[in-house]
Amino acid sequence: MKAGDEDNRLDPTKEDVDVTSGTTTITWLGHAAVLITSPRGKRILIDPWVETNPATPADAKQIGQLDLVLITHGHGDHLGDAVSILRRTNARAVCIFELGQYLQMKGVSADRIVGMNKGGTVHVDGIDVTMVHATHSGGFVEDGKIIYLGEPAGFVVRLENGLTLYHAGDTAVFADMRLIGEQYHPDLAMLPIGGHYTMDPRGAAAAVRLLGVKRVLPIHYGTFPVLTGTPDQLRAAAADIPDLIVHALKPGGSMSV
Ligand code: NI
Ligand code: MN
């Protein structure tokens, strides 16, 4: 085989890949960290707290090359290892404007940062990323000072085949989730359920009703003792919602969509 032949066949970015039948793999890396592999093989990491995340299994901490790193807000359990991952990979970061400025101050080159804001959609590597609202806070302590890193956000990610995924970030339930449902019709929602810093299972069940979503991947629970919500509690709180599937992965576990 000549050099280059195999690359041609295996390159998932080639146009002849049938994205309508392509599968998407979603891997929960623990806490809010989720790795999405798109039908064309793009690797998207949301909330890149993996290397120092106690919930991430050891064999999943080195996640290799990435295309996109989406950061919902500046808290350490979400911004996480973004700087070291962006140094180590060629990925581009998508985040709110102020957080992008912070990454630049930390040495990430400006051409690899897509700073945006709520309501906007960016088209990167064939993926549409829309930033949506979250009800939470967004600062960070560094050198004894609290620095402002912009508002917290959620993301709606639309893949090449139209599959639409919503990652809520850290948030309480809010009534405008209904608008997210009406505008983007997510096929699956990644929702925090741990409570204390975010909505709990009862709040997440209300979020499911507002979004009209039928598949949920619970996140942001179990990492610390205060994050007491469980997928079973979400199932109980949402028992009246017909055809709802709650995908309770183990950290490091994957599902195909
Ligand atoms: Ni937070
Ligand atoms: Mn958090």
Side-chain angles (χ1 to χ4, degrees):
M1 185 180 289
K2 297 196 302 291
D5 281 354
E6 57 186 329
D7 289 342
N8 245 354
R9 272 208 317 279
L10 295 177
D11 184 350
T13 64
K14 287 285 179 277
E15 289 301 318
D16 59 1
V17 172
D18 178 7
V19 295
T20 57
S21 66
T23 51
T24 299
T25 305
I26 297 174
T27 305
W28 184 43
L29 295 169
H31 205 61
V34 178
L35 177 67
I36 299 163
T37 306
S38 80
R40 286 220 167 107
K42 295 293 176 189
R43 284 162 56 84
I44 305 153
L45 177 60
I46 306 180
D47 281 350
W49 190 41
V50 287
E51 293 166 359
T52 57
N53 180 348
T56 308
D59 61 354
K61 284 184 185 288
Q62 294 302 321
I63 45 171
Q65 197 51 249
L66 294 166
D67 297 286
L68 290 176
V69 175
L70 277 46
I71 309 162
T72 60
H73 65 294
H75 284 156
D77 55 323
H78 299 259
L79 176 61
D81 309 300
V83 172
S84 85
I85 286 171
L86 289 166
R87 281 193 184 130
R88 190 167 54 72
T89 67
N90 298 320
R92 276 184 286 179
V94 180
C95 57
I96 209 157
F97 173 78
E98 290 86 348
L99 195 46
Q101 299 289 104
Y102 175 81
L103 291 174
Q104 239 180 289
M105 283 160 50
K106 292 293 167 185
V108 180
S109 66
D111 59 356
R112 289 180 49 211
I113 300 166
V114 182
M116 65 182 302
N117 219 309
K118 295 175 189 178
T121 298
V122 295
H123 189 72
V124 196
D125 287 339
I127 313 287
D128 286 330
V129 180
T130 301
M131 182 172 283
V132 296
H133 187 56
T135 296
H136 190 64
S137 65
F140 194 81
V141 177
E142 194 167 79
D143 302 328
K145 291 190 186 108
I146 291 188
I147 51 174
Y148 174 67
L149 292 174
E151 285 209 4
F155 287 111
V156 175
V157 180
R158 188 176 154 90
L159 303 178
E160 304 96 331
N161 59 349
L163 188 82
T164 302
L165 309 170
Y166 168 49
H167 187 296
D170 277 358
T171 189
V173 63
F174 54 95
D176 287 354
M177 283 181 174
R178 186 183 301 279
L179 288 175
I180 295 173
E182 287 172 5
Q183 285 188 281
Y184 307 109
H185 305 286
D187 297 290
L188 179 141
M190 297 163 252
L191 302 177
I193 64 162
H196 195 97
Y197 298 111
T198 69
M199 56 192 177
D200 59 12
R202 191 176 62 164
V208 170
R209 288 187 193 95
L210 289 163
L211 292 161
V213 72
K214 293 298 181 194
R215 302 178 77 170
V216 175
L217 174 63
I219 57 173
H220 213 278
Y221 70 94
T223 323
F224 312 113
V226 294
L227 305 185
T228 55
T230 66
D232 279 343
Q233 288 171 356
L234 173 58
R235 288 186 182 110
D240 59 309
I241 302 172
D243 306 322
L244 178 67
I245 303 172
V246 176
H247 297 276
L249 295 177
K250 290 195 164 57
S254 294
M255 58 187 274
S256 292
V257 185

